Amino acid sequence: MFPDLTRDDVFRIETRRLWLRWPMARDAEAVSRLAGDPAVAEMTARIPTPLPLHEAERFVIRARATNTAGEGLIMALCRRGAPANLIGVISVENRPSEPEPHLGYWLGRSFWGEGLMTEAASAIVDATFAYAGGRTLASAAIIRNTGSRRVLEKCGFRLTGEAAPVFEARGGAVPSYTFRLDRAAWLDRRGTVVGGPSL
Ligand SMILES: CC(C)(COP(=O)(O)OP(=O)(O)OC[C@H]1O[C@@H](n2cnc3c(N)ncnc32)[C@H](O)[C@@H]1OP(=O)(O)O)[C@@H](O)C(=O)NCCC(=O)NCCS
């Protein structure tokens, strides 16, 4: 899905306040601590809480393998002033049950409410359409997850329906909203968003 450009671990995306870079082995502790926080994990489909260190280590290995193969783009979020310190994760990857690549993300609780995920999501959406040439991106948010829904809306995603997928980590079916962004809408939006990124 992704080209040679993103398949090397020197690949980075820079935003106003963030670096998006490949996850590294030393990020596992932060992934375990921040994503394993129930306030974070319980809003996601797949993250268990607590998240043991060995599971976080497996996540880093899987992320790097996915990025290397170009099958997706799974990036650590770091503030630009502290590029070694992971504060969240954002990903675009294929899921077995879904026909379109899926945008997913989480941010450590103490970093919420600063607009950081909107900044990161806009950047990875731009990179996906610009570099991967895809036609559509999908995403989803648990119905009570107003913050995630707003992130998607602010990036141009359109609500397409409701579903109740079974998430093993959440112990059963979870009512969720589904979202989509297609290339035409992305291009249209790039033409109209003042100060949008130039790729
Ligand atoms: C959802 C999440 C990524 C949002 O990250 P964030 O950086 O705080 O989001 P932003 O600051 O970019 O906020 C985007 C919008 O959502 C709103 N928002 C954020 N959190 C909110 C909340 N808890 N309730 C209501 N609105 C919220 C913001 O006000 C903003 O909207 P506005 O510009 O209209 O005011 C973060 O809360 C998180 O990681 N949650 C746990 C994991 C998760 O939900 N992952 C997504 C799974 S689908």
mmCIF file of all heavy atoms in Angstrom, residues 144-194:
data_model
loop_
_atom_site.group_PDB
_atom_site.id
_atom_site.type_symbol
_atom_site.label_atom_id
_atom_site.label_comp_id
_atom_site.label_asym_id
_atom_site.label_seq_id
_atom_site.Cartn_x
_atom_site.Cartn_y
_atom_site.Cartn_z
ATOM 1 N N ARG A 144 -19.869 6.616 22.421
ATOM 2 C CA ARG A 144 -19.684 7.608 23.495
ATOM 3 C C ARG A 144 -18.361 8.379 23.371
ATOM 4 O O ARG A 144 -18.082 9.275 24.175
ATOM 5 C CB ARG A 144 -19.799 6.958 24.873
ATOM 6 C CG ARG A 144 -18.691 5.991 25.190
ATOM 7 C CD ARG A 144 -18.861 5.433 26.613
ATOM 8 N NE ARG A 144 -17.704 4.688 27.031
ATOM 9 C CZ ARG A 144 -17.427 3.437 26.671
ATOM 10 N NH1 ARG A 144 -18.232 2.791 25.857
ATOM 11 N NH2 ARG A 144 -16.337 2.827 27.108
ATOM 12 N N ASN A 145 -17.588 8.066 22.342
ATOM 13 C CA ASN A 145 -16.267 8.690 22.197
ATOM 14 C C ASN A 145 -16.364 9.983 21.376
ATOM 15 O O ASN A 145 -15.946 10.060 20.219
ATOM 16 C CB ASN A 145 -15.294 7.702 21.549
ATOM 17 C CG ASN A 145 -13.853 8.147 21.673
ATOM 18 O OD1 ASN A 145 -13.584 9.285 22.073
ATOM 19 N ND2 ASN A 145 -12.932 7.267 21.324
ATOM 20 N N THR A 146 -16.903 11.009 22.006
ATOM 21 C CA THR A 146 -17.121 12.282 21.309
ATOM 22 C C THR A 146 -15.822 12.866 20.777
ATOM 23 O O THR A 146 -15.785 13.445 19.690
ATOM 24 C CB THR A 146 -17.760 13.298 22.282
ATOM 25 O OG1 THR A 146 -18.810 12.641 22.971
ATOM 26 C CG2 THR A 146 -18.298 14.503 21.555
ATOM 27 N N GLY A 147 -14.755 12.737 21.543
ATOM 28 C CA GLY A 147 -13.471 13.320 21.129
ATOM 29 C C GLY A 147 -12.990 12.711 19.814
ATOM 30 O O GLY A 147 -12.585 13.432 18.896
ATOM 31 N N SER A 148 -13.058 11.388 19.704
ATOM 32 C CA SER A 148 -12.594 10.743 18.483
ATOM 33 C C SER A 148 -13.486 11.111 17.304
ATOM 34 O O SER A 148 -13.016 11.360 16.192
ATOM 35 C CB SER A 148 -12.578 9.228 18.678
ATOM 36 O OG SER A 148 -12.060 8.618 17.535
ATOM 37 N N ARG A 149 -14.769 11.160 17.554
ATOM 38 C CA ARG A 149 -15.692 11.548 16.482
ATOM 39 C C ARG A 149 -15.343 12.951 15.956
ATOM 40 O O ARG A 149 -15.303 13.180 14.757
ATOM 41 C CB ARG A 149 -17.125 11.514 17.037
ATOM 42 C CG ARG A 149 -18.122 11.904 15.999
ATOM 43 C CD ARG A 149 -19.543 11.776 16.499
ATOM 44 N NE ARG A 149 -20.438 12.332 15.490
ATOM 45 C CZ ARG A 149 -21.741 12.171 15.492
ATOM 46 N NH1 ARG A 149 -22.326 11.477 16.434
ATOM 47 N NH2 ARG A 149 -22.487 12.705 14.546
ATOM 48 N N ARG A 150 -15.043 13.854 16.873
ATOM 49 C CA ARG A 150 -14.697 15.227 16.450
ATOM 50 C C ARG A 150 -13.377 15.258 15.671
ATOM 51 O O ARG A 150 -13.238 15.989 14.710
ATOM 52 C CB ARG A 150 -14.598 16.158 17.669
ATOM 53 C CG ARG A 150 -15.892 16.614 18.238
ATOM 54 C CD ARG A 150 -16.692 17.473 17.264
ATOM 55 N NE ARG A 150 -16.009 18.731 16.939
ATOM 56 C CZ ARG A 150 -16.022 19.300 15.728
ATOM 57 N NH1 ARG A 150 -16.645 18.727 14.725
ATOM 58 N NH2 ARG A 150 -15.385 20.428 15.530
ATOM 59 N N VAL A 151 -12.408 14.460 16.104
ATOM 60 C CA VAL A 151 -11.138 14.407 15.366
ATOM 61 C C VAL A 151 -11.422 14.015 13.915
ATOM 62 O O VAL A 151 -10.940 14.650 12.970
ATOM 63 C CB VAL A 151 -10.150 13.402 16.008
ATOM 64 C CG1 VAL A 151 -8.960 13.139 15.098
ATOM 65 C CG2 VAL A 151 -9.663 13.916 17.365
ATOM 66 N N LEU A 152 -12.231 12.974 13.743
ATOM 67 C CA LEU A 152 -12.519 12.493 12.382
ATOM 68 C C LEU A 152 -13.269 13.552 11.577
ATOM 69 O O LEU A 152 -12.935 13.817 10.419
ATOM 70 C CB LEU A 152 -13.320 11.185 12.457
ATOM 71 C CG LEU A 152 -12.534 10.006 13.044
ATOM 72 C CD1 LEU A 152 -13.461 8.821 13.307
ATOM 73 C CD2 LEU A 152 -11.390 9.587 12.127
ATOM 74 N N GLU A 153 -14.259 14.153 12.198
ATOM 75 C CA GLU A 153 -15.028 15.186 11.478
ATOM 76 C C GLU A 153 -14.120 16.349 11.076
ATOM 77 O O GLU A 153 -14.225 16.882 9.972
ATOM 78 C CB GLU A 153 -16.186 15.684 12.337
ATOM 79 C CG GLU A 153 -17.298 14.650 12.493
ATOM 80 C CD GLU A 153 -18.312 15.005 13.567
ATOM 81 O OE1 GLU A 153 -18.071 15.919 14.389
ATOM 82 O OE2 GLU A 153 -19.365 14.345 13.604
ATOM 83 N N LYS A 154 -13.214 16.722 11.974
ATOM 84 C CA LYS A 154 -12.335 17.865 11.667
ATOM 85 C C LYS A 154 -11.339 17.536 10.562
ATOM 86 O O LYS A 154 -10.803 18.435 9.928
ATOM 87 C CB LYS A 154 -11.603 18.321 12.945
ATOM 88 C CG LYS A 154 -12.569 18.955 13.947
ATOM 89 C CD LYS A 154 -11.856 19.399 15.192
ATOM 90 C CE LYS A 154 -11.189 20.742 14.957
ATOM 91 N NZ LYS A 154 -10.612 21.282 16.197
ATOM 92 N N CYS A 155 -11.111 16.246 10.334
ATOM 93 C CA CYS A 155 -10.223 15.836 9.237
ATOM 94 C C CYS A 155 -11.009 15.573 7.955
ATOM 95 O O CYS A 155 -10.434 15.111 6.965
ATOM 96 C CB CYS A 155 -9.444 14.587 9.618
ATOM 97 S SG CYS A 155 -8.267 14.896 10.931
ATOM 98 N N GLY A 156 -12.302 15.806 7.973
ATOM 99 C CA GLY A 156 -13.102 15.683 6.752
ATOM 100 C C GLY A 156 -13.845 14.370 6.604
ATOM 101 O O GLY A 156 -14.509 14.149 5.593
ATOM 102 N N PHE A 157 -13.723 13.471 7.589
ATOM 103 C CA PHE A 157 -14.437 12.195 7.495
ATOM 104 C C PHE A 157 -15.943 12.438 7.610
ATOM 105 O O PHE A 157 -16.393 13.351 8.310
ATOM 106 C CB PHE A 157 -14.000 11.243 8.620
ATOM 107 C CG PHE A 157 -12.705 10.536 8.360
ATOM 108 C CD1 PHE A 157 -11.499 11.222 8.461
ATOM 109 C CD2 PHE A 157 -12.680 9.197 8.014
ATOM 110 C CE1 PHE A 157 -10.295 10.581 8.225
ATOM 111 C CE2 PHE A 157 -11.482 8.542 7.780
ATOM 112 C CZ PHE A 157 -10.284 9.232 7.884
ATOM 113 N N ARG A 158 -16.688 11.571 6.922
ATOM 114 C CA ARG A 158 -18.141 11.643 6.898
ATOM 115 C C ARG A 158 -18.694 10.428 7.649
ATOM 116 O O ARG A 158 -18.206 9.306 7.474
ATOM 117 C CB ARG A 158 -18.571 11.604 5.423
ATOM 118 C CG ARG A 158 -20.014 11.780 5.132
ATOM 119 C CD ARG A 158 -20.201 11.923 3.620
ATOM 120 N NE ARG A 158 -19.621 10.830 2.852
ATOM 121 C CZ ARG A 158 -20.212 9.652 2.630
ATOM 122 N NH1 ARG A 158 -21.412 9.417 3.105
ATOM 123 N NH2 ARG A 158 -19.619 8.712 1.920
ATOM 124 N N LEU A 159 -19.701 10.699 8.484
ATOM 125 C CA LEU A 159 -20.367 9.603 9.206
ATOM 126 C C LEU A 159 -21.122 8.752 8.193
ATOM 127 O O LEU A 159 -21.905 9.286 7.403
ATOM 128 C CB LEU A 159 -21.337 10.215 10.220
ATOM 129 C CG LEU A 159 -22.132 9.261 11.098
ATOM 130 C CD1 LEU A 159 -21.241 8.475 12.037
ATOM 131 C CD2 LEU A 159 -23.169 10.044 11.895
ATOM 132 N N THR A 160 -20.877 7.434 8.207
ATOM 133 C CA THR A 160 -21.555 6.575 7.226
ATOM 134 C C THR A 160 -22.559 5.627 7.861
ATOM 135 O O THR A 160 -23.342 5.014 7.148
ATOM 136 C CB THR A 160 -20.535 5.733 6.430
ATOM 137 O OG1 THR A 160 -19.668 5.071 7.356
ATOM 138 C CG2 THR A 160 -19.714 6.609 5.499
ATOM 139 N N GLY A 161 -22.528 5.460 9.153
ATOM 140 C CA GLY A 161 -23.516 4.562 9.751
ATOM 141 C C GLY A 161 -23.133 4.144 11.151
ATOM 142 O O GLY A 161 -22.216 4.704 11.763
ATOM 143 N N GLU A 162 -23.887 3.179 11.632
ATOM 144 C CA GLU A 162 -23.627 2.618 12.965
ATOM 145 C C GLU A 162 -23.421 1.128 12.821
ATOM 146 O O GLU A 162 -23.969 0.505 11.922
ATOM 147 C CB GLU A 162 -24.819 2.875 13.890
ATOM 148 C CG GLU A 162 -24.941 4.315 14.311
ATOM 149 C CD GLU A 162 -26.055 4.521 15.337
ATOM 150 O OE1 GLU A 162 -26.317 3.585 16.121
ATOM 151 O OE2 GLU A 162 -26.641 5.600 15.332
ATOM 152 N N ALA A 163 -22.620 0.579 13.720
ATOM 153 C CA ALA A 163 -22.374 -0.864 13.722
ATOM 154 C C ALA A 163 -22.138 -1.281 15.172
ATOM 155 O O ALA A 163 -22.010 -0.423 16.054
ATOM 156 C CB ALA A 163 -21.158 -1.189 12.875
ATOM 157 N N ALA A 164 -22.099 -2.572 15.397
ATOM 158 C CA ALA A 164 -21.785 -3.065 16.749
ATOM 159 C C ALA A 164 -20.783 -4.202 16.623
ATOM 160 O O ALA A 164 -21.100 -5.361 16.882
ATOM 161 C CB ALA A 164 -23.054 -3.510 17.463
ATOM 162 N N PRO A 165 -19.555 -3.871 16.190
ATOM 163 C CA PRO A 165 -18.561 -4.931 16.017
ATOM 164 C C PRO A 165 -18.186 -5.565 17.356
ATOM 165 O O PRO A 165 -18.275 -4.918 18.404
ATOM 166 C CB PRO A 165 -17.362 -4.190 15.410
ATOM 167 C CG PRO A 165 -17.574 -2.761 15.753
ATOM 168 C CD PRO A 165 -19.032 -2.533 15.914
ATOM 169 N N VAL A 166 -17.759 -6.813 17.273
ATOM 170 C CA VAL A 166 -17.317 -7.513 18.490
ATOM 171 C C VAL A 166 -15.835 -7.233 18.673
ATOM 172 O O VAL A 166 -15.020 -7.508 17.801
ATOM 173 C CB VAL A 166 -17.569 -9.030 18.365
ATOM 174 C CG1 VAL A 166 -16.971 -9.769 19.563
ATOM 175 C CG2 VAL A 166 -19.063 -9.303 18.265
ATOM 176 N N PHE A 167 -15.491 -6.616 19.800
ATOM 177 C CA PHE A 167 -14.100 -6.339 20.136
ATOM 178 C C PHE A 167 -13.725 -7.239 21.310
ATOM 179 O O PHE A 167 -14.226 -7.048 22.432
ATOM 180 C CB PHE A 167 -13.918 -4.870 20.547
ATOM 181 C CG PHE A 167 -14.231 -3.867 19.460
ATOM 182 C CD1 PHE A 167 -14.779 -2.632 19.798
ATOM 183 C CD2 PHE A 167 -13.955 -4.132 18.131
ATOM 184 C CE1 PHE A 167 -15.066 -1.689 18.824
ATOM 185 C CE2 PHE A 167 -14.235 -3.201 17.143
ATOM 186 C CZ PHE A 167 -14.791 -1.969 17.491
ATOM 187 N N GLU A 168 -12.846 -8.188 21.031
ATOM 188 C CA GLU A 168 -12.460 -9.139 22.074
ATOM 189 C C GLU A 168 -11.936 -8.414 23.314
ATOM 190 O O GLU A 168 -12.298 -8.750 24.439
ATOM 191 C CB GLU A 168 -11.377 -10.048 21.494
ATOM 192 C CG GLU A 168 -11.313 -11.399 22.153
ATOM 193 C CD GLU A 168 -10.236 -12.238 21.488
ATOM 194 O OE1 GLU A 168 -10.246 -12.360 20.247
ATOM 195 O OE2 GLU A 168 -9.383 -12.738 22.229
ATOM 196 N N ALA A 169 -11.109 -7.380 23.070
ATOM 197 C CA ALA A 169 -10.499 -6.672 24.201
ATOM 198 C C ALA A 169 -11.545 -5.933 25.036
ATOM 199 O O ALA A 169 -11.290 -5.596 26.193
ATOM 200 C CB ALA A 169 -9.448 -5.688 23.702
ATOM 201 N N ARG A 170 -12.709 -5.658 24.452
ATOM 202 C CA ARG A 170 -13.773 -4.943 25.186
ATOM 203 C C ARG A 170 -14.827 -5.918 25.706
ATOM 204 O O ARG A 170 -15.838 -5.494 26.263
ATOM 205 C CB ARG A 170 -14.452 -3.883 24.272
ATOM 206 C CG ARG A 170 -13.514 -2.838 23.698
ATOM 207 C CD ARG A 170 -13.100 -1.777 24.716
ATOM 208 N NE ARG A 170 -12.120 -2.194 25.689
ATOM 209 C CZ ARG A 170 -10.797 -2.246 25.483
ATOM 210 N NH1 ARG A 170 -10.301 -1.888 24.324
ATOM 211 N NH2 ARG A 170 -9.987 -2.642 26.441
ATOM 212 N N GLY A 171 -14.650 -7.199 25.411
ATOM 213 C CA GLY A 171 -15.528 -8.214 25.973
ATOM 214 C C GLY A 171 -16.854 -8.381 25.260
ATOM 215 O O GLY A 171 -17.797 -8.931 25.816
ATOM 216 N N GLY A 172 -16.966 -7.916 24.013
ATOM 217 C CA GLY A 172 -18.209 -8.152 23.275
ATOM 218 C C GLY A 172 -18.485 -7.079 22.253
ATOM 219 O O GLY A 172 -17.578 -6.347 21.842
ATOM 220 N N ALA A 173 -19.749 -6.993 21.852
ATOM 221 C CA ALA A 173 -20.142 -6.038 20.815
ATOM 222 C C ALA A 173 -20.172 -4.624 21.392
ATOM 223 O O ALA A 173 -20.636 -4.414 22.518
ATOM 224 C CB ALA A 173 -21.507 -6.414 20.267
ATOM 225 N N VAL A 174 -19.661 -3.672 20.618
ATOM 226 C CA VAL A 174 -19.582 -2.289 21.085
ATOM 227 C C VAL A 174 -20.238 -1.369 20.048
ATOM 228 O O VAL A 174 -19.744 -1.264 18.912
ATOM 229 C CB VAL A 174 -18.111 -1.853 21.278
ATOM 230 C CG1 VAL A 174 -18.041 -0.433 21.816
ATOM 231 C CG2 VAL A 174 -17.387 -2.806 22.213
ATOM 232 N N PRO A 175 -21.334 -0.697 20.402
ATOM 233 C CA PRO A 175 -21.969 0.206 19.441
ATOM 234 C C PRO A 175 -21.002 1.307 19.015
ATOM 235 O O PRO A 175 -20.388 1.983 19.860
ATOM 236 C CB PRO A 175 -23.159 0.785 20.222
ATOM 237 C CG PRO A 175 -23.370 -0.155 21.353
ATOM 238 C CD PRO A 175 -22.033 -0.743 21.687
ATOM 239 N N SER A 176 -20.860 1.462 17.711
ATOM 240 C CA SER A 176 -19.846 2.383 17.169
ATOM 241 C C SER A 176 -20.404 3.110 15.951
ATOM 242 O O SER A 176 -21.299 2.619 15.272
ATOM 243 C CB SER A 176 -18.615 1.597 16.707
ATOM 244 O OG SER A 176 -18.120 0.773 17.725
ATOM 245 N N TYR A 177 -19.820 4.277 15.693
ATOM 246 C CA TYR A 177 -20.082 4.981 14.442
ATOM 247 C C TYR A 177 -18.994 4.615 13.448
ATOM 248 O O TYR A 177 -17.827 4.475 13.826
ATOM 249 C CB TYR A 177 -20.034 6.498 14.649
ATOM 250 C CG TYR A 177 -21.180 7.076 15.436
ATOM 251 C CD1 TYR A 177 -20.952 7.802 16.596
ATOM 252 C CD2 TYR A 177 -22.492 6.925 14.994
ATOM 253 C CE1 TYR A 177 -21.999 8.367 17.318
ATOM 254 C CE2 TYR A 177 -23.548 7.488 15.708
ATOM 255 C CZ TYR A 177 -23.293 8.203 16.864
ATOM 256 O OH TYR A 177 -24.330 8.757 17.563
ATOM 257 N N THR A 178 -19.380 4.499 12.174
ATOM 258 C CA THR A 178 -18.394 4.275 11.123
ATOM 259 C C THR A 178 -18.239 5.544 10.293
ATOM 260 O O THR A 178 -19.204 6.307 10.122
ATOM 261 C CB THR A 178 -18.814 3.098 10.209
ATOM 262 O OG1 THR A 178 -20.126 3.363 9.696
ATOM 263 C CG2 THR A 178 -18.822 1.799 10.980
ATOM 264 N N PHE A 179 -17.024 5.753 9.820
ATOM 265 C CA PHE A 179 -16.683 6.984 9.079
ATOM 266 C C PHE A 179 -15.886 6.633 7.834
ATOM 267 O O PHE A 179 -15.199 5.601 7.792
ATOM 268 C CB PHE A 179 -15.813 7.907 9.941
ATOM 269 C CG PHE A 179 -16.527 8.541 11.086
ATOM 270 C CD1 PHE A 179 -16.672 7.858 12.287
ATOM 271 C CD2 PHE A 179 -17.065 9.814 10.966
ATOM 272 C CE1 PHE A 179 -17.336 8.442 13.353
ATOM 273 C CE2 PHE A 179 -17.722 10.406 12.026
ATOM 274 C CZ PHE A 179 -17.857 9.715 13.228
ATOM 275 N N ARG A 180 -15.931 7.547 6.872
ATOM 276 C CA ARG A 180 -15.208 7.373 5.617
ATOM 277 C C ARG A 180 -14.714 8.708 5.107
ATOM 278 O O ARG A 180 -15.382 9.728 5.304
ATOM 279 C CB ARG A 180 -16.184 6.872 4.561
ATOM 280 C CG ARG A 180 -15.888 5.571 3.993
ATOM 281 C CD ARG A 180 -17.095 5.104 3.184
ATOM 282 N NE ARG A 180 -16.632 4.016 2.380
ATOM 283 C CZ ARG A 180 -16.548 4.052 1.069
ATOM 284 N NH1 ARG A 180 -16.914 5.111 0.403
ATOM 285 N NH2 ARG A 180 -16.074 3.012 0.418
ATOM 286 N N LEU A 181 -13.591 8.663 4.421
ATOM 287 C CA LEU A 181 -13.106 9.855 3.701
ATOM 288 C C LEU A 181 -12.596 9.356 2.359
ATOM 289 O O LEU A 181 -11.718 8.486 2.318
ATOM 290 C CB LEU A 181 -11.980 10.524 4.485
ATOM 291 C CG LEU A 181 -11.295 11.714 3.803
ATOM 292 C CD1 LEU A 181 -12.269 12.869 3.558
ATOM 293 C CD2 LEU A 181 -10.114 12.212 4.637
ATOM 294 N N ASP A 182 -13.145 9.869 1.261
ATOM 295 C CA ASP A 182 -12.636 9.411 -0.031
ATOM 296 C C ASP A 182 -11.735 10.470 -0.649
ATOM 297 O O ASP A 182 -11.707 11.623 -0.224
ATOM 298 C CB ASP A 182 -13.749 8.923 -0.965
ATOM 299 C CG ASP A 182 -14.720 10.021 -1.315
ATOM 300 O OD1 ASP A 182 -14.285 11.181 -1.431
ATOM 301 O OD2 ASP A 182 -15.914 9.725 -1.472
ATOM 302 N N ARG A 183 -10.987 10.022 -1.642
ATOM 303 C CA ARG A 183 -9.970 10.887 -2.244
ATOM 304 C C ARG A 183 -10.571 12.175 -2.787
ATOM 305 O O ARG A 183 -9.996 13.252 -2.624
ATOM 306 C CB ARG A 183 -9.233 10.119 -3.352
ATOM 307 C CG ARG A 183 -8.302 10.966 -4.193
ATOM 308 C CD ARG A 183 -7.499 10.125 -5.147
ATOM 309 N NE ARG A 183 -6.425 9.446 -4.465
ATOM 310 C CZ ARG A 183 -5.211 9.979 -4.240
ATOM 311 N NH1 ARG A 183 -4.919 11.193 -4.660
ATOM 312 N NH2 ARG A 183 -4.296 9.308 -3.606
ATOM 313 N N ALA A 184 -11.733 12.076 -3.415
ATOM 314 C CA ALA A 184 -12.338 13.268 -4.015
ATOM 315 C C ALA A 184 -12.650 14.293 -2.919
ATOM 316 O O ALA A 184 -12.364 15.494 -3.077
ATOM 317 C CB ALA A 184 -13.601 12.883 -4.781
ATOM 318 N N ALA A 185 -13.197 13.826 -1.811
ATOM 319 C CA ALA A 185 -13.527 14.752 -0.715
ATOM 320 C C ALA A 185 -12.249 15.331 -0.110
ATOM 321 O O ALA A 185 -12.196 16.510 0.260
ATOM 322 C CB ALA A 185 -14.347 14.022 0.347
ATOM 323 N N TRP A 186 -11.208 14.501 -0.020
ATOM 324 C CA TRP A 186 -9.924 14.973 0.516
ATOM 325 C C TRP A 186 -9.338 16.071 -0.376
ATOM 326 O O TRP A 186 -8.902 17.114 0.107
ATOM 327 C CB TRP A 186 -8.957 13.790 0.632
ATOM 328 C CG TRP A 186 -7.560 14.185 0.986
ATOM 329 C CD1 TRP A 186 -7.098 14.624 2.198
ATOM 330 C CD2 TRP A 186 -6.433 14.193 0.101
ATOM 331 N NE1 TRP A 186 -5.755 14.899 2.119
ATOM 332 C CE2 TRP A 186 -5.324 14.644 0.854
ATOM 333 C CE3 TRP A 186 -6.254 13.861 -1.234
ATOM 334 C CZ2 TRP A 186 -4.047 14.773 0.292
ATOM 335 C CZ3 TRP A 186 -4.988 13.979 -1.793
ATOM 336 C CH2 TRP A 186 -3.902 14.439 -1.029
ATOM 337 N N LEU A 187 -9.370 15.814 -1.711
ATOM 338 C CA LEU A 187 -8.829 16.803 -2.652
ATOM 339 C C LEU A 187 -9.636 18.099 -2.579
ATOM 340 O O LEU A 187 -9.083 19.197 -2.534
ATOM 341 C CB LEU A 187 -8.887 16.262 -4.082
ATOM 342 C CG LEU A 187 -7.789 15.281 -4.455
ATOM 343 C CD1 LEU A 187 -8.077 14.646 -5.814
ATOM 344 C CD2 LEU A 187 -6.426 15.975 -4.470
ATOM 345 N N ASP A 188 -10.934 17.939 -2.524
ATOM 346 C CA ASP A 188 -11.826 19.088 -2.473
ATOM 347 C C ASP A 188 -11.519 19.935 -1.234
ATOM 348 O O ASP A 188 -11.391 21.151 -1.272
ATOM 349 C CB ASP A 188 -13.256 18.541 -2.416
ATOM 350 C CG ASP A 188 -14.262 19.617 -2.697
ATOM 351 O OD1 ASP A 188 -13.977 20.450 -3.550
ATOM 352 O OD2 ASP A 188 -15.315 19.621 -2.027
ATOM 353 N N ARG A 189 -11.338 19.233 -0.128
ATOM 354 C CA ARG A 189 -11.063 19.887 1.145
ATOM 355 C C ARG A 189 -9.709 20.594 1.134
ATOM 356 O O ARG A 189 -9.572 21.703 1.623
ATOM 357 C CB ARG A 189 -11.058 18.780 2.199
ATOM 358 C CG ARG A 189 -11.142 19.202 3.589
ATOM 359 C CD ARG A 189 -11.186 17.962 4.446
ATOM 360 N NE ARG A 189 -10.554 18.294 5.701
ATOM 361 C CZ ARG A 189 -11.111 19.046 6.611
ATOM 362 N NH1 ARG A 189 -12.307 19.536 6.429
ATOM 363 N NH2 ARG A 189 -10.472 19.326 7.725
ATOM 364 N N ARG A 190 -8.731 19.945 0.508
ATOM 365 C CA ARG A 190 -7.403 20.569 0.435
ATOM 366 C C ARG A 190 -7.429 21.869 -0.353
ATOM 367 O O ARG A 190 -6.663 22.776 -0.092
ATOM 368 C CB ARG A 190 -6.402 19.605 -0.203
ATOM 369 C CG ARG A 190 -5.859 18.616 0.801
ATOM 370 C CD ARG A 190 -5.055 17.563 0.132
ATOM 371 N NE ARG A 190 -4.055 18.114 -0.753
ATOM 372 C CZ ARG A 190 -2.889 18.636 -0.366
ATOM 373 N NH1 ARG A 190 -2.594 18.698 0.907
ATOM 374 N NH2 ARG A 190 -2.035 19.101 -1.239
ATOM 375 N N GLY A 191 -8.372 21.917 -1.297
ATOM 376 C CA GLY A 191 -8.511 23.143 -2.069
ATOM 377 C C GLY A 191 -9.176 24.257 -1.293
ATOM 378 O O GLY A 191 -9.016 25.430 -1.616
ATOM 379 N N THR A 192 -9.894 23.873 -0.230
ATOM 380 C CA THR A 192 -10.671 24.885 0.477
ATOM 381 C C THR A 192 -10.149 25.199 1.876
ATOM 382 O O THR A 192 -10.487 26.211 2.448
ATOM 383 C CB THR A 192 -12.147 24.435 0.620
ATOM 384 O OG1 THR A 192 -12.161 23.163 1.232
ATOM 385 C CG2 THR A 192 -12.838 24.374 -0.722
ATOM 386 N N VAL A 193 -9.320 24.296 2.450
ATOM 387 C CA VAL A 193 -8.819 24.563 3.798
ATOM 388 C C VAL A 193 -7.690 25.587 3.702
ATOM 389 O O VAL A 193 -6.651 25.319 3.120
ATOM 390 C CB VAL A 193 -8.308 23.273 4.484
ATOM 391 C CG1 VAL A 193 -7.659 23.594 5.825
ATOM 392 C CG2 VAL A 193 -9.439 22.292 4.683
ATOM 393 N N VAL A 194 -7.923 26.755 4.262
ATOM 394 C CA VAL A 194 -6.910 27.809 4.207
ATOM 395 C C VAL A 194 -5.713 27.381 5.038
ATOM 396 O O VAL A 194 -5.854 26.929 6.171
ATOM 397 C CB VAL A 194 -7.483 29.132 4.752
ATOM 398 C CG1 VAL A 194 -6.415 30.204 4.781
ATOM 399 C CG2 VAL A 194 -8.666 29.567 3.903
#
